[in-house]
Amino acid sequence: MPKLTTQLDEIPVARRLTPSVPQQQRHGLSGLLTLLMLLAGGIVVGMVLFLRPAQDMSTLPDPLTEPMPQPEADGRLLGHFPYPVAHGADLVEVIPGRRLHRDAATAFLAMQRDAAEAGVQLRLLSAFRDRETQHNLFFPIMVERDQQPEERARVSAPPGYSEHHTGYALDLGDVRHPKLDLDEAFDQSAAFAWLQQHASRYHFRMSFPVDNGQGVAYEPWHWRWEGSSHALELFEQARRFNAATLTIH
């Protein structure tokens, strides 16, 4: 009787010794492998699409800083002179969140105490600012208000050009008249009248009076301390520039 040949007989011995995988399981593994390959391909494509914009963005100019003009020959940028940022070791906290150079802090506290004895309550609104803080006060607000750099610089210095960087400058208000804070009408307050008469005794000078030569808006609340050789040196250029401008006019 002739021997029947089966499919198993046609498979080589080596493969026959390997446990067979059911057809349904083979189909399941094949489908899983296909799914994994598709997922891997999707991840690769996604990474390429994700990383490409990051590379492109790194080469794009900053829309906030691109329109800034170049500084003048004397260092001024949009009317403001450059100032270094005070060392942290030189700063002391006057009130929570407000720091000044220790020398300016001593003078301010003495001035505030004497003003209080005269019935005037001076309030410290702003003191030392680092470059990041000044950046956030200048560029985002400029964009929000759709201003040009020249317009923004009338009321706020660009980062690197603020007197507040030195730790010697401060903004003052009248406790009894908070609605006048950071407003030209502050010059109608009792605090301003007292400062005009007595601030020089403590070596404080108003930085931006009416029609100042730097072209900065009138800021009766902004004062700087010039009571040390270091402070005088930092503000000498601005002081001479404004004095020369007043002489010309």
Side-chain angles (χ1 to χ4, degrees), residues 125 155 171-174 177-189 192 206 217-223:
L125 301 176
V155 295
D171 296 332
L172 297 174
D174 190 323
H177 301 283
K179 292 183 178 180
L180 302 180
D181 289 352
L182 307 179
D183 191 288
E184 289 187 6
F186 174 68
D187 65 7
Q188 302 301 310
S189 68
F192 180 78
M206 185 168 51
Y218 172 46
E219 295 186 351
W221 62 86
H222 181 103
W223 299 72

Side-chain angles (χ1 to χ4, degrees), residues 30-187:
S30 176
L32 179 60
L33 180 60
T34 302
L35 179 60
L36 290 174
M37 291 177 65
L38 289 173
L39 288 174
I43 292 173
V44 171
V45 172
M47 290 181 66
V48 171
L49 293 175
F50 177 78
L51 293 175
R52 184 178 299 168
Q55 288 181 326
D56 294 342
M57 286 177 64
S58 66
T59 60
L60 291 175
D62 184 349
L64 296 181
T65 58
E66 187 182 16
M68 294 296 288
Q70 292 298 313
E72 302 287 340
D74 59 5
R76 283 179 300 127
L77 178 61
L78 301 174
H80 298 271
F81 287 96
Y83 294 102
V85 178
H87 296 293
D90 294 330
L91 300 171
V92 296
E93 191 170 59
V94 180
I95 59 174
R98 300 288 184 271
R99 293 184 296 165
L100 286 170
H101 189 285
R102 62 168 59 89
D103 296 335
T106 299
F108 167 69
L109 290 173
M111 182 172 71
Q112 185 183 49
R113 181 178 60 250
D114 292 346
E117 291 180 357
V120 174
Q121 296 184 353
L122 299 176
R123 186 157 69 103
L124 183 61
L125 301 176
S126 182
F128 167 77
R129 296 182 199 147
D130 57 21
R131 289 178 63 95
E132 181 180 2
T133 301
Q134 197 65 31
H135 181 283
N136 293 335
L137 287 173
F138 190 88
F139 290 109
I141 296 177
M142 180 182 77
V143 173
E144 178 185 337
R145 297 179 181 177
D146 195 24
Q147 296 176 324
Q148 293 299 312
E150 294 79 5
E151 184 180 2
R152 183 64 190 149
R154 287 270 302 161
V155 295
S156 181
Y161 293 81
S162 174
E163 292 185 348
H164 287 282
H165 291 333
T166 67
Y168 292 128
L170 42 73
D171 296 332
L172 297 174
D174 190 323
V175 173
R176 291 190 174 90
H177 301 283
K179 292 183 178 180
L180 302 180
D181 289 352
L182 307 179
D183 191 288
E184 289 187 6
F186 174 68
D187 65 7

